[in-house]
């Protein structure tokens, strides 16, 4: 695994990549991930594509990331993460809606748990999932960061169907 840390408007981001693709993008702290693990190699150059795309995202110019992912999780988690990638920039959905899209209408809680285990925040937009009432719900990077991301996207999307939080 290769890693680097980059600054962002929501704080430092730990980026982790395998030979296959992006494995992790962690806000600090996120899911107990506090820094590089033993055996990881620091390699800023390995993330040039991602850092360029992140810069464009923060500038409001990029609405969908295009880079290889190496998402490591259970089959169900990977199915949920694939659904997250389908949520358009500037839009939100609910845990229940994702469960219904997965033909598992009673699995909103399981979707929430899988959403919370998303290892590639921002790129796999778990921040776009809100409660069925429209309320902001948990976010591994903290609710202020979730609010920031949703507001950022609403401000840069002409089609945004978001309330400015």
């Amino acid at each position: 695994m290769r890693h680097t840390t980059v600054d962002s408007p929501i704080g430092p981001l730990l980026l982790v990549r395998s030979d296959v693709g992006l494995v992790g993008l962690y806000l600090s702290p996120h899911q107990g991930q506090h820094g590089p693990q033993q055996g990881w190699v620091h390699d800023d150059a390995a993330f040039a594509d991602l850092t360029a795309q992140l810069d464009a995202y923060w500038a409001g110019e990029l609405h969908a990331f295009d880079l290889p992912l190496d998402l490591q999780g259970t089959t169900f988690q990977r199915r949920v993460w694939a659904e997250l990638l389908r949520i358009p920039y500037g839009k939100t959905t609910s845990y229940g809606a994702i469960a219904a899209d997965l033909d598992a209408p009673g699995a909103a809680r399981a979707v929430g748990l899988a959403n919370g285990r998303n290892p590639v925040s921002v790129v796999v937009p778990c921040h776009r999932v809100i409660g069925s009432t429209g309320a902001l719900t948990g976010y591994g990077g903290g609710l202020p960061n979730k609010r920031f991301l949703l507001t950022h996207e609403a401000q840069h999307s002409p089609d945004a169907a978001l309330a400015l939080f």
Side-chain angles (χ1 to χ4, degrees):
M1 296 288 182
R2 291 167 289 174
H3 73 90
T4 194
T5 301
V6 297
D7 290 326
S8 81
I10 57 176
L13 303 175
L14 173 63
L15 312 179
V16 184
R17 173 173 252 154
S18 71
D19 289 337
V20 174
L22 186 66
V23 173
L25 187 155
Y26 301 102
L27 286 71
S28 180
H30 181 80
Q31 300 177 37
Q33 188 70 306
H34 299 287
Q37 304 298 306
Q38 180 126 4
W40 290 4
V41 175
H42 184 263
D43 184 356
D44 294 336
F47 297 92
D49 58 344
L50 176 55
T51 56
Q53 288 185 45
L54 283 169
D55 288 346
Y57 174 81
W58 299 126
E61 300 163 355
L62 180 82
H63 295 180
F65 291 88
D66 181 22
L67 54 126
L69 300 175
D70 185 8
L71 301 177
Q72 300 173 5
T74 68
T75 300
F76 183 76
Q77 288 170 334
R78 289 192 314 272
R79 287 180 62 213
V80 169
W81 302 334
E83 286 299 313
L84 297 178
L85 288 167
R86 295 169 42 105
I87 306 169
Y89 181 94
K91 306 273 184 180
T92 59
T93 192
S94 69
Y95 302 100
I98 291 174
D101 289 344
L102 294 172
D103 292 324
R109 277 198 165 175
V111 166
L113 291 172
N115 193 56
R117 294 247 183 231
N118 170 23
V120 185
S121 300
V122 182
V123 172
V124 176
C126 55
H127 60 277
R128 296 180 189 154
V129 183
I130 59 175
S132 61
T133 64
L136 293 186
T137 54
Y139 184 63
L143 287 180
N145 285 334
K146 183 173 188 166
R147 184 175 291 108
F148 175 89
L149 291 166
L150 292 173
T151 301
H152 169 75
E153 291 184 6
Q155 292 172 338
H156 291 91
S157 174
D159 300 327
L162 297 173
L164 293 178
F165 298 95

